């Protein structure tokens, strides 16, 4: 789900910072009676759901997916074509929860005046892109108090060594100095684990190269299951067994890899210093036209896909293919005789035509505060029902006196 400090982060977007974490924590997995191994599921498949034929209760139960997005920055074309469109497809097959992770937005210095606005803007643009509130629960993380409560409980079971190895914390604290870095930067991976485990998630969408991104969450789930689940929990009056589902990564159909307009070898990114490098979904027509007019090209004759010496050409043709809805073969045939002077207006028109409905829908949603509030309120209500049940079980298994 995510603009945040500079670009969209999925809930699982922290494994690149783990660096060696999994190998050091494998002992917990081997000891855990609840370990189910690390599997990857690909694509959206009906076989991942319980069907009337294989369910003893003959009730179809959808598998559950969660994803979160941070409320800062602007959603750009790369975010949309590379990820959001896949998430929209998932809502038709899975039970989906998409939330704005505003609690993650305060791990580094931020503008307090902008946080609330950015949260609403992010929710509005995701709805405008096609997230359907009648199919998916859309809510704000801080509106479900169980996120913070579960994080604290998980923190008591998280070895400090697991967090000290996080590369981002090391880098940020080294740059800013220990006195200027909050504890939240160190413990944010535990909050991410809470975000996922709270909803007994079956899957979390990750990219092909991100299969290790869930490792901290999985290891923590297995550790808590081992320490407090099973017979220990049953002796305290609980149902016994595993407290948490151990989520699996879901690798959706390959999304588009949209590259920078100023460098065909770099991904389009909000963190790039120049706004010229990206097409933001809310860019006005004249801005889009100007960015395409000035984007980097080459001096080769004609236009072609898949030439490694022409990354900018391949990128711009791919973008045209995706926003026009045409096949790669049709685009190659249409554009093979064009030069950059004739192709750029074609691409500009296709982009404007594709993004216009999203921009119109965004303005409608953004201007209707009552509607947006009702979506977020209903989403939080549905999410709280699941979250509160999980939290109640954790409190019981950990031995707390409940009201």
């Amino acid at each position: 789900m995510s603009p945040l400090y500079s670009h969209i982060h999925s809930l699982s977007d922290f494994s690149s910072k783990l660096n060696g974490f999994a190998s050091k924590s494998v002992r917990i997995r081997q000891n855990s009676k609840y370990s189910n191994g690390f599997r990857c599921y690909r694509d959206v498949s009906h076989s991942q759901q319980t069907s009337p034929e294989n369910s003893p209760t003959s009730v179809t139960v959808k598998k559950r997916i969660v994803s979160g997005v941070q409320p800062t920055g602007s959603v750009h074309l790369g975010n949309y074509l590379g990820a959001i469109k896949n998430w929209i497809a998932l809502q038709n097959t899975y039970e989906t929860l998409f939330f704005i992770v505003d609690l993650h937005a305060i791990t580094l210095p931020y503008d307090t005046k902008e946080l609330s606005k950015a949260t609403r803007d992010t929710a509005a643009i995701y709805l405008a892109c096609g997230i359907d509130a009648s199919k998916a629960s859309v809510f704000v993380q801080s509106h479900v108090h169980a996120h913070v409560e579960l994080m604290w409980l998980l923190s008591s079971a998280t070895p400090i060594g697991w967090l000290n190895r996080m590369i981002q914390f090391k880098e940020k604290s080294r740059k800013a100095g220990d006195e200027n870095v909050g504890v939240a930067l160190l413990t944010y991976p535990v909050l991410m684990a809470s975000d996922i485990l709270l909803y007994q998630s079956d899957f979390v969408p990750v990219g092909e190269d991100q299969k290790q991104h869930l490792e901290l969450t999985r290891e923590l789930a297995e550790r808590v299951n081992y320490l407090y689940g099973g017979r220990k929990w049953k002796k305290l009056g609980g149902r016994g067994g595993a407290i948490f589902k151990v989520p699996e990564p879901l690798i959706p159909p390959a999304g588009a890899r949209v590259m920078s307009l100023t460098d065909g070898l770099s991904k389009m990114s909000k963190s790039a210093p120049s706004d010229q490098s990206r097409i933001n979904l809310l860019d006005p027509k004249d801005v889009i036209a100007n960015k395409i007019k000035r984007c980097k090209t080459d001096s080769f004759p004609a236009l072609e896909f898949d030439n490694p010496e022409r990354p900018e050409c391949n990128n711009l043709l791919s973008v045209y293919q995706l926003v026009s809805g045409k096949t790669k073969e049709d685009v190659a045939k249409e554009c093979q005789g064009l030069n950059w002077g004739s192709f750029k207006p074609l691409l500009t028109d296709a982009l404007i035509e594709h993004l216009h409905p999203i921009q119109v829908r965004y303005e409608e949603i953004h201007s209707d505060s009552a509607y947006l509030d009702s979506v977020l309120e209903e989403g939080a209500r549905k999410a709280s029902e699941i979250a509160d049940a999980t939290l109640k079980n954790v409190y019981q298994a950990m031995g707390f006196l409940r009201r």
Side-chain angles (χ1 to χ4, degrees), residues 163-343:
L163 302 180
N164 283 335
R165 286 189 286 271
M166 300 296 286
I167 292 177
Q168 185 185 54
F169 176 74
K170 291 182 178 180
E171 292 178 346
K172 297 293 184 180
S173 60
R174 187 184 306 116
K175 290 179 180 178
D178 290 343
E179 294 300 319
N180 297 317
V181 174
V183 173
L185 187 62
L186 176 66
T187 59
Y188 86 94
V190 185
L191 179 57
M192 287 183 170
S194 172
D195 295 336
I196 297 169
L197 299 179
L198 193 58
Y199 298 102
Q200 302 294 345
S201 311
D202 295 287
F203 304 112
V204 175
V206 296
E208 180 69 52
D209 59 345
Q210 300 171 326
K211 290 182 289 188
Q212 292 183 347
H213 286 197
L214 286 175
E215 198 61 26
L216 178 62
T217 295
R218 290 171 48 81
E219 295 292 345
L220 189 50
E222 291 175 344
R223 181 178 175 88
V224 172
N225 286 342
Y226 176 71
L227 292 175
Y228 302 107
R231 295 179 180 177
K232 300 173 186 176
W233 182 19
K234 198 165 187 178
K235 288 179 180 179
L236 294 175
R239 71 164 189 267
I243 301 169
F244 295 122
K245 282 187 179 180
V246 181
E248 302 287 352
L250 176 73
I251 301 176
R257 184 178 173 84
V258 180
M259 311 308 285
S260 166
L261 297 181
T262 57
D263 179 5
L265 297 177
S266 301
K267 285 185 67 175
M268 187 174 289
S269 172
K270 176 60 182 175
S271 61
S274 173
D275 192 60
Q276 171 65 31
S277 67
R278 55 190 166 267
I279 299 291
N280 300 305
L281 294 195
L282 300 181
D283 277 346
K285 296 178 181 180
D286 59 332
V287 172
I288 294 174
N290 186 53
K291 287 181 177 180
I292 296 301
K293 183 178 180 180
R294 298 174 56 194
C295 71
K296 183 179 179 181
T297 55
D298 57 42
S299 57
F300 287 82
L303 305 179
E304 59 182 334
F305 280 103
D306 302 325
N307 184 337
E309 296 183 8
R310 307 185 67 185
E312 288 80 17
C313 183
N314 185 70
N315 181 49
L316 295 176
L317 286 174
S318 297
V319 168
Y320 178 63
Q321 175 197 336
L322 291 165
V323 298
S324 67
K326 299 178 181 180
T327 66
K328 185 175 182 178
E329 292 72 20
D330 287 342
V331 170
K333 184 177 180 180
E334 177 185 3
C335 300
Q336 63 181 355
L338 300 181
N339 57 31
W340 290 116
S342 53
F343 173 71

Side-chain angles (χ1 to χ4, degrees), residues 46-57 59-63:
H46 67 277
S47 65
Q48 294 160 350
Q49 301 183 32
T50 303
S51 65
E53 291 76 19
N54 59 26
S55 170
T57 59
V59 175
T60 300
V61 179
K62 289 185 175 181
K63 296 289 187 179

